[in-house]
Amino acid sequence: APFFCKLIIAAVRMKIKIVGFDKANSKQTIYMYNHNSFFDIFTLPLMKLKNTRYIFTEKALGIKGLQWANYGNDALLLPSSKTENIEQLKRRDQKFKDFTQLLKDTETSILTAPEGQHRFDHRIDRFNDGVFKMATESGVQIIPIFIGIPKENNPFEGYKFKAGTITIEALDPIDTSNWKLEDLEQNKEAVRKIFVEYFN
């Protein structure tokens, strides 16, 4: 995957700068990244995170290339958050319980976008509760990963962009061992603030 992703990134005349990943791979982690572009999908394997599974929405299965990539990376598939279907919402809750149990029972790390499924834009969107409940109940540390794409280089929902550099930076680990569910909103917003301040 890293080899083919490098080819794709090179083909669209983008360069990748990876910073701070000496902080990663040392222990079990929930890696959280900001998701502002479809370029992100091709940058994730370049981090070469060990023993790490990705959370992707099942919506990605409708795109053949992403479907193959998801199966190849042994992705953890999550029902769409953009649904009013009660059964889908129950399935989504159960999936997060399954992911939490995976963290408790194994040394597997998880990579996820706390913004979830949203329209790409030049900003940090609101964060979802599910991944923070997972972090709280498992007590696994969080490492924020900031994917920096200058506005003029980002195609967002389209295909127009300028060649440039994408910076992927691992920020300082966040200890969740003392987190409590009653503080979920506060902890979620504290992590989001890190991304917003870095983005700004």
Side-chain angles (χ1 to χ4, degrees), residues 30-192:
I30 298 171
Y31 299 100
M32 294 188 181
Y33 67 96
N34 58 304
H35 192 23
N36 300 103
S37 172
F38 67 75
F39 278 155
D40 298 343
I41 301 302
F42 303 109
T43 64
L44 301 182
L46 302 181
M47 302 175 202
K48 297 182 180 179
L49 300 172
K50 296 175 183 175
N51 194 29
T52 302
R53 296 178 69 180
Y54 306 173
I55 295 178
F56 278 123
T57 176
E58 290 178 349
K59 183 182 178 183
L61 296 182
I63 304 168
K64 273 297 175 200
L66 289 181
Q67 181 178 358
W68 297 335
N70 286 338
Y71 286 139
N73 286 315
D74 198 18
L76 300 168
L77 295 173
L78 188 66
S80 172
S81 59
K82 306 295 183 183
T83 179
E84 300 298 325
N85 185 306
I86 298 297
E87 288 305 312
Q88 282 287 85
L89 292 175
K90 285 181 179 177
R91 279 187 62 227
R92 186 178 172 84
D93 287 344
Q94 183 56 52
K95 284 286 187 181
F96 272 118
K97 289 177 183 176
D98 294 344
F99 301 161
T100 302
Q101 200 60 45
L102 175 69
L103 290 169
K104 289 179 176 180
D105 292 345
T106 71
E107 292 300 310
T108 302
S109 294
I110 286 178
L111 176 69
T112 183
E115 292 166 285
Q117 188 180 332
H118 67 108
R119 184 174 178 81
F120 296 142
D121 202 349
H122 192 64
R123 64 191 175 99
I124 303 296
D125 210 333
R126 59 180 288 278
F127 280 8
N128 294 333
D129 290 348
V131 293
F132 289 93
K133 187 176 180 184
M134 180 177 72
T136 303
E137 293 181 337
S138 67
V140 171
Q141 72 167 3
I142 293 170
I143 291 183
I145 294 178
F146 188 83
I147 302 178
I149 307 176
K151 189 173 183 179
E152 63 272 18
N153 303 122
N154 195 335
F156 298 112
E157 300 285 330
Y159 298 93
K160 292 182 179 179
F161 61 94
K162 293 181 180 178
T165 299
I166 299 171
T167 302
I168 309 170
E169 184 163 359
L171 308 183
D172 291 333
I174 300 167
D175 181 20
T176 69
S177 60
N178 293 318
W179 279 15
K180 298 177 182 178
L181 284 177
E182 53 262 38
D183 300 324
L184 188 145
E185 191 67 26
Q186 174 185 327
N187 291 329
K188 179 181 73 172
E189 288 308 314
V191 175
R192 184 175 180 274

